[in-house]
Amino acid sequence: MAGYYHRIDAIRNAANLKPVLGWRESDSVTAIPHQQPLPAPDVPLLALDTLWFQVAGTLCNIECTHCFISSSPTNRSHEMLTLADVEIRLAEARRLGVRDYYFTGGEPFMNRDMLAILETTLKQGPATVLTNGMLLRPELCRELRELFDRSEYSLDLRVSLDGFDAESHDAIRGKGVWERVMKGLRNLAGVGLNPVITVTEAAEGVGSAEGRTRFLEVIRGFGFARPRLKVLSLFRIGAEETRSHGYEEWERLSMDGLTPVDAATLQCSSSRMVTSRGVYVCPILIAEPAARMGETIADTLRPFALRYGACHTCWVDGVNCRT
Ligand code: SF4
């Protein structure tokens, strides 16, 4: 714990280095000439194990109040990827030795190419799809099961929930969403697919031991005898910044350096994110222009400066978006 408090002190000290009062996160991106961004430690790319695809762009069939990239039915900041887009990056990923693949959005199953994309991906590595569960109709679940059965590599699904019941869940995800997700989860259980249920700490009490126990009971109730649960921290950017609040200026990583062991705990030391606008450092910062590291994956094989409040959350909470 001593090391932890030392690091927090260092973070607070770094805030005192702030050269201009009123410095904002976006200033580092817009490069206002008389204002300099806070110094920030670089994270090296230690290995490229994981490749993410923003396969649905920022388009989603719902509009969650905590979405850190503000996905919605109308947000076209990032467009959907086509099968051809994905194939180009998969070929590059194979040459670079990527081990596994994640697909997110927005809502991935809004992408009409999604099944074909999974079929292609599963020829070269394991794949995980992050979904809100609303489009998991019986026929789609059957097709996913068939794909699961005939693939050499594993196919996994993650379904997001944000409450123990319809009232708490729909307060964040929208009216009627709980019912549709329940149907989707039962359809998955019906074909014998056991997804990881992801919950964010927006769900009251879920972070506690009692909350997790209660959530596991809820998941069993959907028909999953061996429930799988992943609790995710909230990133106070995008819609979540409005729902709660943004980052304080002291919530930044300090310049006392990241050891390789420290860096290995951050997903940006071993992954990159493919979007319609190029390749970004990670799945969290796709609204930050400076987090776009290049057009191709090969352009991004270099360190990245961790100057964002979200990086502080990754470090302090030990967040990793992988399953
Ligand atoms: S937000 Fe997290 S994963 Fe993204 S660059 Fe910062 S530390 Fe790395």
mmCIF file of all heavy atoms in Angstrom, residues 235 266-268 281-282 284-285 304 306 310-311 314, ligand 1:
data_model
loop_
_atom_site.group_PDB
_atom_site.id
_atom_site.type_symbol
_atom_site.label_atom_id
_atom_site.label_comp_id
_atom_site.label_asym_id
_atom_site.label_seq_id
_atom_site.Cartn_x
_atom_site.Cartn_y
_atom_site.Cartn_z
ATOM 1 N N PHE A 235 -15.636 5.253 -16.852
ATOM 2 C CA PHE A 235 -14.736 6.299 -17.351
ATOM 3 C C PHE A 235 -15.552 7.584 -17.436
ATOM 4 O O PHE A 235 -16.571 7.617 -18.129
ATOM 5 C CB PHE A 235 -14.179 5.913 -18.723
ATOM 6 C CG PHE A 235 -13.218 4.755 -18.644
ATOM 7 C CD1 PHE A 235 -13.628 3.481 -18.972
ATOM 8 C CD2 PHE A 235 -11.925 4.951 -18.208
ATOM 9 C CE1 PHE A 235 -12.753 2.410 -18.874
ATOM 10 C CE2 PHE A 235 -11.037 3.897 -18.100
ATOM 11 C CZ PHE A 235 -11.452 2.621 -18.434
ATOM 12 N N LEU A 266 -1.463 -2.206 -18.028
ATOM 13 C CA LEU A 266 -2.327 -1.341 -18.845
ATOM 14 C C LEU A 266 -2.555 -1.990 -20.208
ATOM 15 O O LEU A 266 -1.607 -2.427 -20.858
ATOM 16 C CB LEU A 266 -1.667 0.026 -19.034
ATOM 17 C CG LEU A 266 -1.428 0.816 -17.748
ATOM 18 C CD1 LEU A 266 -0.592 2.058 -18.044
ATOM 19 C CD2 LEU A 266 -2.753 1.210 -17.100
ATOM 20 N N GLN A 267 -3.792 -1.988 -20.646
ATOM 21 C CA GLN A 267 -4.066 -2.704 -21.897
ATOM 22 C C GLN A 267 -3.426 -2.043 -23.120
ATOM 23 O O GLN A 267 -3.170 -2.706 -24.115
ATOM 24 C CB GLN A 267 -5.558 -2.888 -22.103
ATOM 25 C CG GLN A 267 -6.344 -1.624 -22.202
ATOM 26 C CD GLN A 267 -7.838 -1.926 -22.330
ATOM 27 O OE1 GLN A 267 -8.228 -3.012 -22.722
ATOM 28 N NE2 GLN A 267 -8.664 -0.955 -21.997
ATOM 29 N N CYS A 268 -3.121 -0.735 -23.010
ATOM 30 C CA CYS A 268 -2.491 -0.064 -24.146
ATOM 31 C C CYS A 268 -1.051 -0.516 -24.343
ATOM 32 O O CYS A 268 -0.421 -0.160 -25.345
ATOM 33 C CB CYS A 268 -2.555 1.442 -23.951
ATOM 34 S SG CYS A 268 -2.139 1.945 -22.280
ATOM 35 N N VAL A 281 -5.116 4.179 -29.879
ATOM 36 C CA VAL A 281 -4.313 3.514 -28.853
ATOM 37 C C VAL A 281 -5.102 2.459 -28.094
ATOM 38 O O VAL A 281 -4.558 1.434 -27.699
ATOM 39 C CB VAL A 281 -3.699 4.554 -27.879
ATOM 40 C CG1 VAL A 281 -4.771 5.293 -27.094
ATOM 41 C CG2 VAL A 281 -2.723 3.888 -26.924
ATOM 42 N N CYS A 282 -6.408 2.697 -27.883
ATOM 43 C CA CYS A 282 -7.175 1.793 -27.019
ATOM 44 C C CYS A 282 -8.667 1.974 -27.285
ATOM 45 O O CYS A 282 -9.065 2.907 -27.981
ATOM 46 C CB CYS A 282 -6.851 2.066 -25.551
ATOM 47 S SG CYS A 282 -7.579 3.609 -24.931
ATOM 48 N N ILE A 284 -10.874 3.059 -25.307
ATOM 49 C CA ILE A 284 -11.500 4.065 -24.445
ATOM 50 C C ILE A 284 -11.382 5.473 -25.020
ATOM 51 O O ILE A 284 -12.286 6.302 -24.840
ATOM 52 C CB ILE A 284 -10.836 4.002 -23.044
ATOM 53 C CG1 ILE A 284 -11.055 2.605 -22.466
ATOM 54 C CG2 ILE A 284 -11.412 5.063 -22.101
ATOM 55 C CD1 ILE A 284 -9.955 2.155 -21.555
ATOM 56 N N LEU A 285 -10.320 5.736 -25.735
ATOM 57 C CA LEU A 285 -10.022 7.120 -26.132
ATOM 58 C C LEU A 285 -10.343 7.430 -27.591
ATOM 59 O O LEU A 285 -9.723 8.322 -28.180
ATOM 60 C CB LEU A 285 -8.541 7.413 -25.843
ATOM 61 C CG LEU A 285 -8.136 7.389 -24.364
ATOM 62 C CD1 LEU A 285 -6.632 7.648 -24.221
ATOM 63 C CD2 LEU A 285 -8.928 8.385 -23.543
ATOM 64 N N PHE A 304 2.934 5.658 -26.140
ATOM 65 C CA PHE A 304 1.833 6.626 -26.132
ATOM 66 C C PHE A 304 1.860 7.364 -24.796
ATOM 67 O O PHE A 304 2.064 6.765 -23.741
ATOM 68 C CB PHE A 304 0.496 5.890 -26.292
ATOM 69 C CG PHE A 304 -0.694 6.807 -26.292
ATOM 70 C CD1 PHE A 304 -1.034 7.522 -27.438
ATOM 71 C CD2 PHE A 304 -1.461 6.962 -25.147
ATOM 72 C CE1 PHE A 304 -2.125 8.384 -27.432
ATOM 73 C CE2 PHE A 304 -2.554 7.818 -25.136
ATOM 74 C CZ PHE A 304 -2.884 8.531 -26.288
ATOM 75 N N LEU A 306 0.384 8.992 -21.630
ATOM 76 C CA LEU A 306 -0.833 8.755 -20.841
ATOM 77 C C LEU A 306 -1.275 10.046 -20.157
ATOM 78 O O LEU A 306 -1.156 10.187 -18.937
ATOM 79 C CB LEU A 306 -0.561 7.659 -19.809
ATOM 80 C CG LEU A 306 -0.086 6.324 -20.392
ATOM 81 C CD1 LEU A 306 0.285 5.359 -19.269
ATOM 82 C CD2 LEU A 306 -1.169 5.711 -21.261
ATOM 83 N N ALA A 310 -8.894 9.351 -18.092
ATOM 84 C CA ALA A 310 -9.246 7.926 -18.228
ATOM 85 C C ALA A 310 -8.040 7.031 -17.950
ATOM 86 O O ALA A 310 -8.193 5.921 -17.424
ATOM 87 C CB ALA A 310 -9.798 7.656 -19.627
ATOM 88 N N CYS A 311 -6.834 7.512 -18.292
ATOM 89 C CA CYS A 311 -5.622 6.722 -18.012
ATOM 90 C C CYS A 311 -5.440 6.566 -16.502
ATOM 91 O O CYS A 311 -4.975 5.531 -16.014
ATOM 92 C CB CYS A 311 -4.388 7.396 -18.618
ATOM 93 S SG CYS A 311 -4.488 7.661 -20.392
ATOM 94 N N CYS A 314 -7.655 3.779 -15.453
ATOM 95 C CA CYS A 314 -7.053 2.485 -15.807
ATOM 96 C C CYS A 314 -6.005 2.078 -14.777
ATOM 97 O O CYS A 314 -5.932 0.929 -14.350
ATOM 98 C CB CYS A 314 -6.387 2.563 -17.173
ATOM 99 S SG CYS A 314 -7.543 2.516 -18.547
HETATM 100 S S1 SF4 B 1 -7.259 5.096 -21.276
HETATM 101 FE FE1 SF4 B 1 -6.293 3.273 -20.352
HETATM 102 S S2 SF4 B 1 -5.927 1.873 -22.081
HETATM 103 FE FE2 SF4 B 1 -6.304 3.947 -22.943
HETATM 104 S S3 SF4 B 1 -4.256 4.899 -23.200
HETATM 105 FE FE3 SF4 B 1 -5.029 5.498 -21.172
HETATM 106 S S4 SF4 B 1 -4.206 3.934 -19.755
HETATM 107 FE FE4 SF4 B 1 -4.025 3.122 -21.817
#
